[in-house]
């Protein structure tokens, strides 16, 4: 019965476009059972700051950081996710501080920063390559997204715009700061996109 319900949910949500309304009640119900990967783009940033290449992960002055609004929104989403009873297990992020900070605010705990989720721009701004030209980087992201979560939990990933495009094509390159793509891993094939969820959708669902 659960399998039929899950299939129905996928059929309903997969065709959604970015501007489409998400059935958050149905989505949250599925997420509570675990088995999904939620991939966020980091929260809103301060545009007056720029990344300095080559990237220095220990120098906060050489990285674009979350804005006050970005921190507040990520914290609000984290509280909403916990209030909704969504069981977050593994939390992986980019090595850049804006992603690490987003991951901590979303999960309310320490995170693991990994190469595969780090800005794949490789010397250019993550905004400069929305077409997804880095195949190796894209494959690394897809491998993470297609890894089933442990137990009855959902995995949380935090990365950058370019990494979305590298992994899932040009259409994914329009991901907004703080937006999440929810995937159902399929070890026998490709991860299946279930829904795109704005930060405000999580918060509204928790109310």
């Amino acid at each position: 019965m659960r399998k039929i319900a899950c299939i129905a949910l996928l059929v309903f949500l997969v065709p959604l476009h970015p501007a489409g309304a998400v059935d958050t009640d149905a989505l949250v119900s599925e997420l509570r059972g675990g088995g999904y990967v939620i991939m966020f783009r980091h929260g809103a940033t301060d545009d007056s700051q720029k990344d300095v290449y080559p990237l220095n992960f220990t120098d906060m002055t050489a990285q674009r950081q979350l804005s006050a609004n970005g921190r507040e929104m990520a914290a609000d989403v984290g509280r909403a996710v916990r209030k909704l009873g969504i069981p977050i297990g593994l939390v992986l992020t980019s090595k850049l501080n804006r992603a690490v900070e987003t991951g901590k605010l979303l999960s309310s705990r320490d995170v693991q920063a990994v190469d595969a989720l780090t800005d794949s721009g490789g010397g250019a701004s993550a905004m400069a390559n929305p077409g997804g030209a880095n195949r190796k980087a894209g494959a690394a992201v897809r491998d993470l997204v297609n890894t089933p979560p442990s137990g009855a939990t959902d995995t949380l990933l935090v990365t950058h715009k370019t990494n979305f495009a590298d992994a899932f094509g040009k259409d994914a390159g329009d991901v907004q700061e703080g937006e999440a793509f929810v995937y159902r891993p399929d070890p026998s094939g490709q991860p299946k996109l279930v829904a795109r969820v704005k930060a405000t959708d999580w918060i509204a669902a928790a109310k």
Side-chain angles (χ1 to χ4, degrees), residues 16-157:
L16 287 179
H17 295 290
V22 177
D23 184 347
T24 49
D25 289 341
L27 179 62
V28 167
S29 179
E30 286 298 315
L31 290 174
R32 283 174 179 154
Y36 291 85
V37 174
I38 309 171
M39 188 165 86
F40 279 87
R41 183 183 174 192
H42 59 76
T45 53
D46 183 348
D47 286 337
S48 70
Q49 300 171 331
K50 305 297 179 184
D51 290 331
V52 177
Y53 294 92
L55 295 171
N56 184 335
F57 303 118
T58 61
D59 185 357
M60 299 301 103
T61 66
Q63 301 177 33
R64 194 168 85 252
Q65 301 291 332
L66 292 182
S67 64
N69 181 61
R71 292 186 183 93
E72 181 180 4
M73 184 67 76
D76 287 346
V77 172
R79 284 189 286 269
V81 166
R82 289 187 288 280
K83 184 176 180 181
L84 291 168
I86 297 171
I88 300 300
L90 182 65
V91 183
L92 302 177
T93 75
S94 156
K95 291 184 175 181
L96 284 164
N97 190 62
R98 57 184 176 272
V100 172
E101 191 173 8
T102 298
K104 288 179 178 179
L105 290 168
L106 290 172
S107 64
S108 193
R109 64 172 189 265
D110 287 335
V111 303
Q112 182 180 347
V114 299
D115 288 331
L117 295 174
T118 302
D119 177 11
S120 64
S125 166
M127 304 291 287
N129 179 25
N134 193 326
R135 293 183 181 180
K136 183 177 180 181
V141 173
R142 286 195 301 275
D143 284 345
L144 290 179
V145 173
N146 214 23
T147 300
S150 175
T153 66
D154 300 304
T155 295
L156 193 155
L157 309 178

